[in-house]
Amino acid sequence: MPRTQHEAGGRRVTDDATDREPVPASTPLTGHIQGLFQRVRAFDRRHPAAWNGTLTTFWVLFAVLDVSTGGWRTVAVDRQVPEPLVFTMSVAFSAPLLWRRTHPLLVLALMAPFSLVNVWTGAVIQASLLQEIVVFNIAVRLPMRTLAWSGALLATPLVIASGQFPDDWDQLLLPHVWMFAIAALAGILVRTRKEYTEALVDRADRLERERDQQARLAAAAERTRIAREMHDIIGHNLSVITSLADGGSYAAARSPELAAQALDAIGTTSRQALAELRRLLGVLRDRPEDADRTPQPTLDDIDALLEGVRRAGLPVRLDVRGTPPAQPPTPGRQLTAYRVVQESLTNTLKHAGAAPSLTAEVTLIYRPGTLEALITDNGTPRPDGRASAPTGQGITGMRARASLYDGTLDAGPSAEDGWQVRLRLPLEDSPS
């Protein structure tokens, strides 16, 4: 189409058919039919009684009109059947359709005697074909064996009538056979599609519930992980600060320089704890692309951890045995070992007493396929001769960390007076 320009209200307007979205000339007929069916089904779901009454009234008027106009005689075998009897049969075949959905088998049984009279007298009115509407509802709502019984119930009068009118057996039998087959197949088709749709809806519901459940489980696991990290970070640093504060209070009266060093160490430890806490909470608060991606502590950071513990007043020694593997342990395993060492030393600061001779030792042992961490102290024994056992969630959290990688953790009194924690951590994933 050519491109044209014209003036409109002082503005230049360009018409170009190629700049517009193509508009279909007409909507396909199937779209109109499908839309009509959807509106009818929606009305049926909202007002089932009104819909049943409307259809039943339509078929009753059709049957009565067929009798009043004499149309039944065009297919009748015997045209001399009294009209009052024909009228009664027409109403009997159409009026019970009102209950075709709720009691289809009962409706078909009520129609059976009139079906026998219809073919026995030779009237063969067309209203008798309304029985196939009931057959359709049986196929949709009842078991398949019920559909077979309904076919036998419809066939019995027809077979009897075929014996009475042998010359017209095809006129009596074939239309009903074909209509029964069509109604049964249509009902089975609708039923199959309905069951398939219900199965899809049920599957979608189950998948949605499983998705929500997985999301809740993931959220719970993440909350547990974050709580464990916060416990390790805050618990360790507060224990160090407490020890430094206690030492500073003793040194204030005797050596102001040592007290100043303790205060300086408290400030450094507090800032480190605050920075780690902000980083952890920032993962929850910030968007993923804005979150701080500072690496988690590894085995290389244990020296810095021990230095902070020494500043808090606990002499601690590190001993590494064995040869580290060529391929370093995974970050998760290194973090687990680091946190276990951190939590164990924190428990020593909190629970092992304040004896001047208190010391601790961290031993890392590399074995083929296994990393062991042994943390011991010579804590002050209790009156019963056993070291004071840590309380709270620390040991539980350490065991939970170890179990994530099929590791084990044992904690208890050592052979000498004190406490020990032993971590055994496989360096490779197990087949489980």
Side-chain angles (χ1 to χ4, degrees):
M1 181 177 292
R3 185 182 184 94
T4 61
Q5 295 181 348
H6 60 274
E7 297 292 334
R11 295 177 299 170
R12 184 173 297 276
V13 181
T14 303
D15 295 333
D16 191 348
T18 60
D19 295 337
R20 303 172 185 171
E21 291 293 332
V23 179
S26 62
T27 305
L29 180 61
T30 55
H32 289 297
I33 296 176
Q34 185 177 6
L36 177 61
F37 284 164
Q38 290 177 352
R39 288 192 291 271
V40 170
R41 285 195 295 266
F43 178 80
D44 185 17
R45 286 192 296 268
R46 292 193 302 268
H47 311 286
W51 178 251
N52 286 339
T54 301
L55 283 184
T56 302
T57 302
F58 171 79
W59 290 117
V60 169
L61 292 177
F62 166 79
V64 172
L65 184 63
D66 184 50
V67 175
S68 62
T69 58
W72 64 276
R73 290 188 173 89
T74 59
V75 294
V77 176
D78 184 0
R79 298 179 178 84
Q80 304 303 320
V81 180
E83 285 195 359
L85 179 59
V86 175
F87 179 83
T88 302
M89 291 188 296
S90 299
V91 174
F93 283 127
S94 56
L97 293 178
L98 185 63
W99 299 279
R100 70 190 185 279
R101 289 180 170 178
T102 56
H103 304 89
L105 194 58
L106 178 60
V107 170
L108 195 64
L110 291 176
M111 293 181 177
F114 296 95
S115 177
L116 179 59
V117 173
N118 177 48
V119 295
W120 185 265
T121 58
V124 196
I125 58 175
Q126 299 179 39
S128 63
L129 295 176
L130 296 177
Q131 295 176 100
E132 311 307 335
I133 298 179
V134 185
V135 171
F136 171 82
N137 284 270
I138 290 175
V140 171
R141 293 174 172 83
L142 299 182
M144 289 297 102
R145 62 177 180 272
T146 307
L147 181 62
W149 283 110
S150 65
L153 186 62
L154 290 177
T156 300
L158 298 175
V159 173
I160 295 175
S162 299
Q164 184 178 359
F165 302 99
D167 295 337
D168 300 308
W169 69 270
D170 54 343
Q171 182 179 351
L172 295 173
L173 191 61
L174 292 181
H176 286 274
V177 171
W178 281 108
M179 291 300 297
F180 177 84
I182 294 174
L185 290 176
I188 293 173
L189 178 62
V190 171
R191 179 176 186 159
T192 302
R193 181 174 180 180
K194 180 180 178 181
E195 292 176 350
Y196 178 71
T197 303
E198 291 176 350
L200 290 179
V201 172
D202 179 68
R203 181 182 179 186
D205 291 340
R206 286 189 288 105
L207 290 176
E208 184 175 0
R209 288 194 296 270
E210 291 177 2
R211 181 198 63 191
D212 294 340
Q213 183 180 13
Q214 291 296 330
R216 288 193 295 270
L217 291 175
E222 186 65 11
R223 285 195 298 269
T224 302
R225 186 190 69 81
I226 293 172
R228 193 160 52 231
E229 290 292 326
M230 293 182 66
H231 172 273
D232 293 341
I233 294 172
I234 297 176
H236 171 74
N237 287 286
L238 286 181
S239 297
V240 172
I241 292 172
T242 301
S243 299
L244 289 171
D246 292 340
S249 62
Y250 286 115
R254 300 181 181 180
S255 177
E257 294 181 358
L258 294 178
Q261 293 177 4
L263 292 175
D264 182 65
I266 289 174
T268 302
T269 304
S270 301
R271 285 190 292 272
Q272 291 176 352
L274 185 60
E276 291 188 30
L277 186 60
R278 283 176 175 172
R279 178 178 60 82
L280 184 62
L281 296 179
V283 175
L284 301 177
R285 182 179 61 251
D286 299 336
R287 294 175 298 179
E289 60 272 14
D290 297 333
D292 186 4
R293 291 178 171 81
T294 302
Q296 292 277 28
T298 64
L299 294 176
D300 295 334
D301 299 310
I302 286 185
D303 288 331
L305 172 66
L306 300 185
E307 184 61 30
V309 174
R310 294 187 187 103
R311 287 200 305 268
L314 174 62
V316 57
R317 185 170 67 91
L318 175 64
D319 184 15
V320 181
R321 303 177 184 175
T323 303
Q327 182 68 26
T330 61
R333 288 177 170 82
Q334 295 194 51
L335 177 62
T336 297
Y338 179 92
R339 292 303 187 196
V340 168
V341 172
Q342 182 185 54
E343 179 64 22
S344 301
L345 296 177
T346 300
N347 288 336
T348 299
L349 289 171
K350 291 192 296 185
H351 304 290
S357 60
L358 177 63
T359 61
E361 182 176 358
V362 177
T363 305
L364 299 180
I365 306 173
Y366 288 97
R367 304 183 189 276
T370 305
L371 170 63
E372 292 187 15
L374 179 63
I375 304 95
T376 59
D377 64 62
N378 58 347
T380 303
R382 299 190 308 188
D384 58 4
R386 291 178 296 173
S388 176
T391 58
Q393 301 299 318
I395 295 179
T396 302
M398 288 190 290
R399 287 200 174 101
R401 284 184 179 276
S403 65
L404 290 177
Y405 300 98
D406 293 333
T408 60
L409 186 135
D410 300 319
S414 60
E416 303 175 356
D417 289 338
W419 191 264
Q420 72 174 6
V421 176
R422 181 182 295 273
L423 169 69
R424 296 180 181 88
L425 201 62
L427 296 180
E428 296 181 358
D429 293 331
S430 64
S432 62

